[in-house]
Amino acid sequence: MGNGVSLPEAEKLTEEEERAVLDYECSIEAIANFIASDRCQKIVLMTGAGVSVSAGIPDFRTPGTGLYDNLQKYNLPKPEAIFDIHFFRQDPRPFYDLARDLLPANYTPTAAHLFVRLLEKKGLLHRCYTQNIDTLERRAGINPELLVEAHGSFGSAHCTREECKKAFSQAYFSEQLLASGKRDEATGEMSYCVLCDVEGCGGFVKPDITFFGEPLPSRFFELRERDMESADLCIVIGTSLQVAPFCHLLHMTKPSTPRLLINLERVGAVDRMSNGNGFLFDRPNNYRDVELLSTCKHLHTHTHIHIRTYTYNN
Ligand code: ZN
């Protein structure tokens, strides 16, 4: 996943311009007031595994409980191989087995997804960039046009044979996967597989999740610059901001755009990687960045936006 952008040096605002952002009051109340004001029309969100944890979806990298630490049974050369396109072409069984647990139908959107949906209903959602492949944004009812599933998703699938590449729906993939269990006579173990139905093809069908060795969806590159430059507010929720190029979205916001981080721990602070465009928390020159180190569950009480009355069917 290369494709980095060349980041400009952080642009310096005048004191007057800085004051105009949040009046030097970098607090959650100031962000809430900003959202309620006419100045905030376009909100861009960046979300990661943290927004889906309370739905019960395992995250990938947490030591001990994360998905990568629990793949021993597959005897993989390394944990990441389960999402490696070259490995998948050789042996797709570990991925298919895991995919049965990850199918989006098994999960329900969380308060964080409903918060994004609520911003859409209020006409404030410009775009939601998510690293998650679980499609819970769609299940929360968010218009796919307002989404960028930066690492792909289970929302569609394709035959992996280059000569074929037939497209399949999420429903087809799920049904075939669940119906495809085959027991090995010798070992008694079940294995699963989804094959292309084009006559004479028989290629493996893979959901359009971005595997290692595959490019990110072109939509990500087409939209990111314009979206980030036009954002009035950027909200980052539940991501470690460690995976490029996704993390660089934050660095592409205008210097006058306030930014809110909602996460269990501080991430994304200004460093060499961000060329001065990272979060300015605790820096004496911070005029625009706010952090809420908390779970996403109580988002609405912090932001004065009430989502209690919404269910995910709305
Ligand atoms: Zn095919």
Side-chain angles (χ1 to χ4, degrees):
M1 295 194 240
N3 303 297
V5 283
S6 58
L7 291 166
E9 279 282 344
E11 191 188 322
K12 188 90 181 81
L13 299 183
T14 65
E15 193 184 327
E16 200 181 333
E17 288 167 331
E18 283 188 355
R19 183 175 296 283
V21 178
L22 291 175
D23 203 16
Y24 287 119
E25 205 219 304
C26 296
S27 67
I28 192 70
E29 290 76 20
I31 293 286
N33 290 334
F34 180 76
I35 293 175
S37 77
D38 290 344
R39 293 166 59 210
C40 185
Q41 306 285 338
K42 294 179 175 179
I43 301 180
V44 174
L45 279 102
M46 295 170 59
T47 64
V51 298
S52 293
V53 166
S54 67
I57 294 175
D59 72 44
F60 286 48
R61 293 176 195 277
T62 300
T65 56
L67 198 139
Y68 284 150
D69 265 3
N70 291 283
L71 300 172
Q72 292 87 349
K73 61 179 167 180
Y74 299 121
N75 268 325
L76 299 165
K78 57 179 182 176
E80 288 84 358
I82 202 154
F83 295 115
D84 184 303
I85 189 64
H86 306 292
F87 184 82
F88 177 85
R89 288 181 202 280
Q90 287 165 23
D91 184 2
R93 289 173 302 174
F95 171 76
Y96 283 136
D97 190 48
L98 180 71
R100 287 165 50 243
D101 290 335
L102 295 181
L103 285 178
N106 299 340
Y107 301 98
T108 304
T110 68
H113 298 103
L114 299 181
F115 172 71
V116 182
R117 170 70 178 127
L118 183 61
L119 292 177
E120 178 188 5
K121 288 190 154 193
K122 302 246 176 204
L124 293 171
L125 179 63
H126 184 60
R127 204 85 67 187
C128 176
Y129 285 77
T130 183
Q131 293 171 281
N132 299 340
I133 57 174
D134 53 40
T135 64
L136 288 184
E137 293 82 10
R138 295 175 191 229
R139 283 170 62 83
I142 298 164
N143 178 354
E145 279 299 305
L146 299 179
L147 287 174
V148 175
E149 291 159 328
H151 296 167
S153 82
F154 274 95
S156 56
H158 280 85
C159 173
T160 52
R161 266 190 74 229
E162 288 296 322
E163 307 82 356
C164 176
K165 287 189 174 166
K166 182 180 172 183
F168 294 91
S169 67
Q170 178 175 340
Y172 178 90
F173 179 80
S174 303
E175 280 161 24
Q176 292 296 310
L177 184 67
L178 294 173
S180 72
K182 222 186 253 165
R183 193 173 294 281
D184 186 299
E185 294 286 319
T187 64
E189 278 176 20
M190 292 288 279
S191 64
Y192 296 82
C193 190
V194 182
L195 293 180
C196 179
D197 63 1
V198 170
E199 210 182 319
C201 176
F204 298 126
V205 176
K206 172 183 135 338
D208 295 338
I209 297 164
T210 307
F211 274 31
F212 296 105
E214 291 188 306
L216 268 62
S218 56
R219 184 173 164 76
F220 175 83
F221 300 104
E222 285 157 18
L223 295 176
R224 63 178 175 173
E225 270 170 270
R226 225 177 328 142
D227 280 352
M228 299 321 289
E229 275 168 19
S230 61
D232 297 320
L233 172 68
C234 177
I235 304 181
V236 180
I237 313 179
T239 165
S240 58
L241 287 177
Q242 279 175 354
V243 178
F246 187 88
C247 62
H248 291 309
L249 294 172
L250 178 74
H251 311 141
M252 297 164 81
T253 51
K254 288 192 305 274
S256 58
T257 302
R259 303 179 298 190
L260 169 65
L261 169 71
I262 302 169
N263 203 42
L264 286 180
E265 56 197 8
R266 178 177 293 178
V267 294
V270 74
D271 61 7
R272 263 174 301 150
M273 214 172 129
S274 62
N275 219 1
N277 295 289
F279 284 129
L280 298 168
F281 309 129
D282 281 356
R283 300 242 171 172
N285 61 340
N286 182 20
Y287 61 92
R288 63 156 163 165
D289 293 330
V290 175
E291 63 184 347
L292 180 61
L293 303 183
S294 154
T295 67
C296 312
K297 284 185 196 162
H298 306 295
L299 215 49
H300 51 295
T301 55
H302 290 297
T303 51
H304 307 186
I305 290 181
H306 297 281
I307 62 172
R308 278 170 303 202
T309 52
Y310 291 91
T311 68
Y312 88 92
N313 293 321
N314 276 316

